Structures are given as structure tokens and as C-alpha cells.
Amino acid sequence: MNRRSWQFGFLGSMLACGVLLLGCFGNRETPQPNGGDAANANAAAPGPLLITVVGTQETADVLKREWSARSEAEVTVRAVEPAEAADEARLNSDLVLFPTGLLGELAQADALLPLDEELSERDAFDQTDLLLLGREFDGAWGGRTLALPLGSALPAMVYRTDVFEQLKLDPPRTWEEFAAAATKLQEAAEAETLPEGVATAVLEPTETLDAARQFLVRAAAYARVPGRYSGLFEFSSMQPELTSPAFAKALDEYRQALSQESTEKPIGYAEASRRLLAGEAALGVTYLLEAPELESEEALERAALVAVAPVPGSKEYWQPRGESWEAREAATSVPTWGDFGMIVGIGRSVADRDRALRALESIVDAEIGTPVSASAAGTAPFRKSQFAWVARWTKLPATLPANQQYAAAIEQAQSAPDHLLLPRIPGRERYLEGLGEQVRLALAGEKATDAALADAAAAWEKITDEIGRKSQVQAYRASLGLSN
């Protein structure tokens, strides 16, 4: 063998060894030409999409069913408790469906991937059909978008049209008008002139957590200052603003609207919703969380007399800077936002981001999103195109006027010039519990308004210090859409 032949043979051997080494130690995820070996192809195939539902098994089952009916892609869906949400999103899930109020806890745990780059694409997720508040605020955190909306219930005013006609009352547009109507209804109840079946003049929730929420629903129009970021805390210090005249006025009116019976037998939003929609009360404000059982013709006839309208507002608001009441251009309803509802995001442990994005787009589409959203508590339409199907959420017979009236109330709230964001920061239920306990005492007449609000503010300060004031300031700023 001559020298040149020996060199070519040596180089060929080295090249063969290199190929063998690359085959042994190279990137195993690189697709093999012409499909490669079937066993290797199966080993490289992605596993099932992993979706976590922080909620009921029913919602998980509906999502699994709707997905399977429309896709051959394998999916694993499981329901977990709220306490497990952050770990599931960070460690185990491609997608996470969770209550809106948990956004702060998941964001603080860095459990979700931002979606801003994908949302910047003009047609991504059919955003023009998404309702404004949900699109802008449901998944917003610290100037980023971490999740997309699956619908949030909004508070609404519910009243009996026949009673209002009988007493020659107009539907209240402000809380002052609501108070005046409540007085006339209570007088009619005492005189026993209300129609048969109307057991209560004015009905509002008074159970501790829902009493806190209801108090904030009533306070929103008084406390929300146009152009100001915060409404519940001073956003640079987390000092509560509960002792201002705005909240005092709301608590006084809340107490005056209720009968003594209402405070002795506390009820939550679910029961208030059932009773108001059944026409058992002449007037009330509630989140529409549950529907009544309307099994008889009489019950249906009574429910047909029920009307739904936007929550009352105010012609003025309290301006902390000037410590004075200032007039609004018109009576304005200020919806509360950020507590009820469901949103969906991509978990930090996502295996295939592109695949997860495609699945996310499918879930927030009306076809899958409608039955999934309607199966969860505290939700409502999240797309304009869903208003025609609002009965899927109210669970009322589709022929009842209350359905489309609720859709109109949601549409008005979604386009309101302002809103009050409820706490969705770590410890949010502790804040609501501390506030609700004091509101309950004031409603029962066991504590004066000023004392109750001062003690609620003190409770909030204590919670903030226990969790960590610096981290809570950062979380509250982020919840308002401000970067830290």
C-alpha cells in the first residue's frame, strides 16, 4: 500500500468513527432522515398535553370532553385545589386554568410564562372579539400579560318590574336612588302590600366574605377617582384607604338598605342570586352565581317579572388630595373586577411552547371556551359573540328577559370608563375576611361605621406586615398593571 492510499484509508476510518460517535452522543431530538427507526420515532414523540384545572372535577371533565371531540391530540386534564395551583403550574403543567383571584399568587411564584410576544400578533387569539375588561385586565400583571380570559361574572341589580310599576318607581341609577327605593319597598313590606311571593323588600348578601365584596361593590363609585391607579390601598405604601368618607358613605347606605332579618340570617351570593332571580325579593344587588329551580308554571311566571340592570353608580366621588367630594359628568356605574372568573395561562414547566400556544388559542375560542367557562362558578361570557348564548351561564330558561338584560349589563360594564380592582394579591382572602368581619358588625348595629372601618384598616395593616410590606407593595403595584 502506498502512502497516499494509507492516508485515504486512515481518514475514512476516522470519518466513520466520527459518524458513529455523533450517532451515540449527538442531539437525540433531531429528526432522522426518512423517518428513521420506528422505535426511536416513538420515543421522541411528545407526550400528552398536560392541563391543570384549579377548580371542580366537572370543569376538568367538560374540558376533556370538548377537547377530545375536536382533536385527535392526546390530552391529560386533572383538577386540583387552589393550594396546589402554583406548584402544578411551575412543575407539572403545559396549561393552567385557574380562578382570576389566584393570578397574584401564581405570578409571585413565577409559575406562568408571559404571552406578550404572542399577543402582539394582530390576529392572535381573535382578540377583537374578547370583551374589553377581560382582555385588558384579567391576566395582566406588572405590565405583562400572563393569562387570557375565560369570563368573569359581574355584579348586577335585580328587581321585580311589577313591584316597581305598582309603587311608581324607576330603576335606580345611583346608590342614593337605590336607598330611596329601598325605603319605599320596606314601607310597602310593612304595610303588607307587596305581591304574593315577594318575601323580602331588599335582599343583599351578608355572609362574611361576600359582605366584604358587597361593601366594595357599593363603595366603588364613591372611592374610584378618575385617572388614579389605586382605590383600596395607597399603592406605594399599602396603607389602606378604608377610613375615607367614600367607604363610610357606602357602609352607611349598605346598613340602611337591609332589614334586621337580613343581618341575623347571613346569606352569600349564591343564595342571594337564587332568591332574587326567582322573584322572591323586590330589589337587590348580587353576582349571578346560581339559578333558582323553576319547576312550576307559577315559578316561571314570577321569574318572568324579574329584570336585571347594571349596578347603581354615583354622581360624585371622594377626592383624597383635596379631601372633598367632586362631581362626575354624569351618574356613573363603576364595576368591581378581578375576584370572580376564570383565566388560562401557560405553565412554567411547559414541554412544547408552540403546542401549548395552539392549545391555548383553542381553549379561549368560543367553541371550546363556552362550555368550559359555563361549567365553572363565577364566570360569564368573555366574547361579544357569546351574548346570544348568555343562558349557558345564567342557567335560566332561555326565554326569560333576564338573560339578555344581563348580557346588556355586562356589555355596559365592560365599556365603563373606570372600574375598581378587588384584591388579587397574596393573602387576598385574609384581607376580605378581615374586612367582612367588621362590615358584619356594622350591619348588625354592633359597631359604629367609623370604628368598624378603622378596625378593618388596622386588620389590613397587620396582614400586610405579616406577609411582608415590601413584597405586598410590589404585588399590589403589579396587580394594577404597574411595573416595579
Side-chain angles (χ1 to χ4, degrees), residues 231-250:
L232 301 178
F233 300 91
E234 200 288 315
F235 70 86
S236 63
S237 66
M238 281 296 287
Q239 180 180 349
E241 300 191 346
L242 294 174
T243 55
S244 82
F247 292 100
K249 181 176 175 65

Side-chain angles (χ1 to χ4, degrees), residues 204-265:
E204 295 191 53
T206 52
E207 181 274 327
T208 301
L209 283 178
D210 287 346
R213 295 181 175 104
Q214 186 74 356
F215 166 63
L216 296 177
V217 166
R218 281 178 156 274
Y222 297 140
R224 195 72 185 94
V225 179
R228 190 167 180 256
Y229 283 114
S230 57
L232 301 178
F233 300 91
E234 200 288 315
F235 70 86
S236 63
S237 66
M238 281 296 287
Q239 180 180 349
E241 300 191 346
L242 294 174
T243 55
S244 82
F247 292 100
K249 181 176 175 65
L251 186 51
D252 283 340
E253 291 177 343
Y254 188 4
R255 183 179 62 249
Q256 292 163 7
L258 298 174
S259 66
Q260 188 63 34
E261 179 186 2
S262 300
T263 58
E264 291 175 352
K265 300 177 181 178

Side-chain angles (χ1 to χ4, degrees), residues 41-50 67 72-76 94 351-352 355:
N42 288 336
L49 190 74
L50 301 178
W67 178 277
E72 295 181 358
E74 188 179 355
V75 63
T76 298
D94 294 307
D352 184 331
R355 180 178 67 159

Side-chain angles (χ1 to χ4, degrees), residues 150-167:
L150 284 175
S152 295
L154 287 167
M157 183 176 71
V158 183
Y159 64 97
R160 281 278 296 258
T161 57
D162 58 331
V163 176
F164 271 63
E165 289 172 4
Q166 173 187 319
L167 299 179

Side-chain angles (χ1 to χ4, degrees), residues 110-190:
D110 194 27
L112 301 168
L113 292 181
L115 302 171
D116 303 277
E117 183 178 336
E118 288 74 21
L119 289 172
S120 66
E121 299 177 15
R122 185 171 181 179
D123 296 326
F125 306 107
D126 192 13
Q127 295 175 70
T128 57
D129 189 41
L130 290 172
L131 295 175
L132 180 62
L133 280 179
R135 186 177 75 231
E136 295 292 328
F137 298 105
D138 259 4
W141 188 264
R144 300 180 301 171
T145 298
L146 300 182
L148 292 177
L150 284 175
S152 295
L154 287 167
M157 183 176 71
V158 183
Y159 64 97
R160 281 278 296 258
T161 57
D162 58 331
V163 176
F164 271 63
E165 289 172 4
Q166 173 187 319
L167 299 179
K168 296 181 172 55
L169 293 172
D170 293 324
R173 295 174 58 248
T174 67
W175 288 111
E176 291 90 343
E177 293 174 2
F178 187 98
T183 298
K184 289 190 176 183
L185 291 167
Q186 288 164 352
E187 291 172 351
E190 291 171 4

